[in-house]
Amino acid sequence: MNWEPWTGCYKVSDGCANCYFYGPNAKRYGQSTIKKTDKFDWPMRKNAKGEYNIKGNKILATCFATDFFLPEADEWRKEVWAFIKERTDIDFLILTKRIDRFPVSLPSDWGAGYDNVNIGCTVENQSTADHRLPLFLSYPIKRRFIACAPLLEAIDLTPYLHGADHVTVGGETGREARECDYEWVLNIREQCINANVTFWFKSTGTFFKRDGAVEKINPFKQSSTAKELGIDILNGKRLF
């Protein structure tokens, strides 16, 4: 399930260039105004019986079509943290390219982190990994994962895997997508094996290079093609 308490976004790094949601060829291109959605308080809504509309024991992907740490949402985020704190029966999955803004509007009772919050830091190349991941590891977060998506080049995550629970890898999607090389994916997988960290190859992206050839993958088959390669190491981990 996806929860988007606000909408709108804008480029922050090279990985945003062909964003599947707001990029030049996406339906929401140009929608850079950040505003609340009509589902802002969705996890808190109840039915006539006083029961939550969203039942517990679910993973709720939060702000996957925007960014949880946008500066325009600083005040709203305080409310959202309160919702998250109350719904301890839901695992909230938050993915961001703005991990440097993590401390802004953080709840006073955050402490070492909430048990039901899993935060993912996105990196697309070595420079973003070397900039974002030291910050990511310095913050008090109980559950954290690294998302190499879109993967634009070979990345050495070795210095940072000691603090991560999981790594997800995916290629870029779209008509202008940059290619994803299978060798880069396998190299990250090997790093995860050595660090005893779970690994998920989520998607090939549109242009997938393997055995020296680049294949154009239908967007509806990119996840299934990645899965068919059988390289995931999940150890029973629940995926969104």
Side-chain angles (χ1 to χ4, degrees):
M1 298 180 68
N2 282 57
W3 174 37
E4 306 299 333
W6 45 83
T7 187
C9 202
Y10 46 85
K11 182 178 178 179
V12 70
S13 65
D14 194 36
C16 304
N18 299 310
C19 178
Y20 71 100
F21 233 82
Y22 299 100
N25 297 302
K27 291 182 179 180
R28 298 195 182 191
Y29 178 63
Q31 294 184 28
S32 57
T33 300
I34 316 304
K35 55 186 179 181
K36 284 185 180 181
T37 69
D38 58 3
K39 288 191 174 182
F40 180 77
D41 62 346
W42 193 33
M44 307 307 298
R45 295 180 187 175
K46 298 181 179 180
N47 59 27
K49 296 180 181 180
E51 302 167 333
Y52 287 118
N53 289 329
I54 301 179
K55 306 304 180 184
N57 195 33
K58 285 184 171 59
I59 295 176
L60 198 56
T62 304
C63 287
F64 270 43
T66 176
D67 198 304
F68 191 74
F69 296 103
L70 282 165
E72 292 83 354
D74 285 350
E75 288 302 311
W76 304 335
R77 195 160 55 254
K78 295 176 183 178
E79 295 180 73
V80 168
W81 279 130
F83 302 157
I84 290 172
K85 179 184 177 183
E86 183 166 334
R87 291 303 308 268
T88 56
D89 56 335
I90 291 176
D91 280 343
F92 292 86
L93 198 66
I94 297 169
L95 188 61
T96 184
K97 285 184 171 66
R98 295 170 172 82
I99 196 62
D100 56 300
R101 305 200 74 258
F102 171 80
V104 181
S105 301
L106 200 63
S108 59
D109 64 351
W110 177 260
Y114 292 163
D115 291 335
N116 64 330
V117 175
N118 193 339
I119 294 182
C121 180
T122 297
V123 299
E124 61 262 32
N125 51 33
Q126 193 65 53
S127 63
T128 53
D130 292 339
H131 173 67
R132 293 173 185 162
L133 295 181
L135 290 172
F136 186 40
L137 297 180
S138 73
Y139 298 136
I141 301 170
K142 287 189 176 180
R143 301 165 63 191
R144 69 183 94 214
F145 70 100
I146 298 169
C148 300
L151 182 63
L152 301 180
E153 66 180 28
I155 303 178
D156 182 10
L157 297 176
T158 306
Y160 315 114
L161 290 177
H162 67 279
D165 302 306
H166 173 74
V167 173
T168 292
V169 174
E172 187 171 47
T173 297
R175 68 183 72 173
E176 303 296 331
R178 290 154 288 188
E179 70 181 39
C180 176
D181 193 318
Y182 192 38
E183 290 301 316
W184 304 341
V185 179
L186 292 175
N187 183 260
I188 292 175
R189 180 182 187 269
E190 188 66 24
Q191 295 171 42
C192 290
I193 291 173
N194 293 335
N196 195 29
V197 171
T198 54
F199 169 89
W200 180 30
F201 185 28
K202 181 177 184 290
S203 171
T204 61
T206 299
F207 298 104
F208 186 46
K209 184 177 181 180
R210 183 171 40 151
D211 298 327
V214 177
E215 181 182 0
K216 185 175 182 180
I217 310 292
N218 183 294
F220 298 104
K221 296 182 178 180
Q222 292 169 19
S223 294
S224 60
T225 301
K227 184 177 181 179
E228 287 167 4
L229 291 169
I231 63 172
D232 298 338
I233 306 168
L234 300 177
N235 300 334
K237 187 181 292 293
R238 293 173 68 196
L239 300 174
F240 56 92

